[in-house]
């Protein structure tokens, strides 16, 4: 399997997409969060859902606990996909990962335009995020801290067999995002869209607005009813908004 095939679950409705949408899951999450998106987006948009190590098909691989390592590896895996314009969407931890991947793509030695659009969901700007240390906490405290934000339905951590599988991944992802620091965040050329649930305890107005300091392309903000995981019950509305924004990239040149 190619490096791209290892890192991305591909949802395509055409062999010749106009652009690619790369989607980054949250802490503890996996690519299946985006399995229904391709059917809701225009047929000429190919969805690449990022498959982090340590879960589902990559269960036998160790989780990556360094932001630099994770984003370097994803950026390299994206190289074969740069023959089409690229847009990135990341939720929660995935928003920070998407931002760092975008920074690497804009700064790569080969040059190029970088992503045409960066969509950031459920996370404050990296230089305005309050520090936490849940990855050092006891299991019950870590789970409580994660689930207070909301859930995608059900309580997988209440099932002993699932808890045993999910907890190491959750802890590793929290270690990655809680130890992630950028003293001088990169200012990107790509325009940003920030999405959030209107009852999300993890983000604030100032934290959302601070993303404007990291883009030369302008910032748009859109909120939906819901908590941190608004994007599941509001999938139809969210993907409709994304589809409209991607349609405006119809004349974007390849990255």
């Amino acid at each position: 399997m190619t490096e791209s095939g290892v890192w991305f679950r591909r949802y395509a409705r055409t062999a010749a997409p106009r652009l690619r949408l790369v989607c980054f899951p949250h802490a503890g999450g996996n690519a299946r969060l985006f399995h229904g998106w391709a059917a809701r987006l225009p047929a000429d948009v190919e969805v690449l859902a990022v498959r982090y190590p340590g879960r589902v098909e990559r269960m036998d691989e160790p989780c990556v606990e360094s932001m630099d390592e994770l984003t370097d590896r994803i950026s390299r895996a994206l190289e074969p996909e740069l023959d089409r314009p690229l847009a990135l969407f990341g939720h929660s931890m995935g928003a920070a990962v998407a931002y760092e991947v975008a920074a690497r793509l804009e700064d790569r030695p080969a040059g190029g335009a970088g992503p045409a659009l960066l969509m950031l969901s459920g996370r404050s700007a990296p230089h305005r995020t309050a520090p936490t240390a849940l990855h050092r906490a006891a299991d019950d405290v870590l789970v409580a801290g994660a689930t207070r934000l909301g859930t995608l339905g059900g309580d997988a951590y209440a099932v002993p067999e699932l808890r045993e599988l999910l907890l190491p991944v959750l802890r590793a992802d929290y270690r990655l995002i809680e130890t992630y620091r950028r003293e001088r965040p990169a200012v990107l050329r790509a325009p940003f869209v920030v999405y959030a649930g209107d009852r999300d305890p993890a983000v604030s107005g100032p934290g959302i607005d601070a993303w404007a300091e990291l883009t030369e392309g302008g910032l748009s903000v859109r909120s939906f009813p819901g908590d941190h995981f608004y994007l599941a019950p509001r999938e139809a509305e969210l993907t409709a908004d994304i589809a409209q924004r991607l349609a405006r990239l119809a004349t974007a040149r390849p990255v």
Side-chain angles (χ1 to χ4, degrees):
M1 184 179 290
T2 65
E3 189 74 0
S4 178
V6 170
W7 278 94
F8 308 114
R9 179 184 289 272
R10 192 178 303 266
Y11 299 101
R13 297 168 65 194
T14 176
R18 174 176 58 86
L19 63 83
R20 294 188 171 100
L21 173 64
V22 186
C23 298
F24 298 77
H26 55 282
N30 61 68
R32 291 177 179 171
L33 177 67
F34 305 104
H35 77 277
W37 282 34
R40 296 184 181 274
L41 294 172
D44 59 358
V45 174
E46 183 176 54
V47 176
L48 301 182
V50 177
R51 304 198 291 191
Y52 301 139
R55 63 212 80 190
V56 195
E57 302 95 334
R58 306 184 70 181
M59 183 78 71
D60 294 336
E61 300 178 46
C63 293
V64 178
E65 299 181 1
S66 159
M67 180 67 82
D68 284 343
E69 179 186 349
L70 181 64
T71 52
D72 284 347
R73 292 174 67 183
I74 293 172
S75 298
R76 287 196 299 270
L78 275 173
E79 288 290 337
E81 312 299 338
L82 300 182
D83 61 331
R84 297 288 189 274
L86 215 63
L88 310 185
F89 176 96
H91 179 63
S92 195
M93 179 189 83
V97 178
Y99 163 75
E100 288 292 338
V101 168
R104 282 156 174 75
L105 293 177
E106 284 198 1
D107 196 41
R108 68 192 190 279
L117 181 65
L118 187 57
M119 293 172 282
L120 307 155
S121 169
R123 188 155 189 89
S124 296
H127 59 307
R128 295 290 183 269
T129 301
T132 57
L134 280 172
H135 70 279
R136 299 176 182 168
D139 289 350
D140 289 345
V141 176
L142 172 60
V143 170
T147 56
R148 77 174 181 85
L149 302 177
T151 70
L152 289 169
D155 184 5
Y157 293 102
V159 180
E161 295 81 3
L162 291 177
R163 182 185 177 96
E164 183 178 351
L165 290 173
L166 297 175
L167 256 177
V169 173
L170 183 66
R171 188 175 297 280
D173 285 354
Y174 264 78
R175 183 176 292 111
L176 181 149
I177 196 61
E178 290 182 330
T179 58
Y180 162 58
R181 295 288 183 274
R182 245 197 190 265
E183 292 185 7
R184 296 179 181 176
V187 178
L188 306 187
R189 296 186 296 272
F192 290 4
V193 181
V194 175
Y195 295 107
D198 61 6
R199 299 190 306 278
D200 186 346
V203 297
S204 65
I208 290 173
D209 294 341
W211 282 111
E213 301 169 21
L214 305 184
T215 174
E216 297 174 351
L219 174 70
S220 298
V221 178
R222 174 76 191 272
S223 67
F224 292 91
D227 58 23
H228 190 63
F229 291 104
Y230 74 91
L231 72 172
R234 299 293 172 177
E235 181 176 285
E237 297 99 315
L238 174 61
T239 52
D241 188 87
I242 291 172
Q244 290 179 359
R245 297 179 191 276
L246 296 182
R248 299 174 196 146
L249 303 178
T251 59
R253 60 190 176 92
V255 297

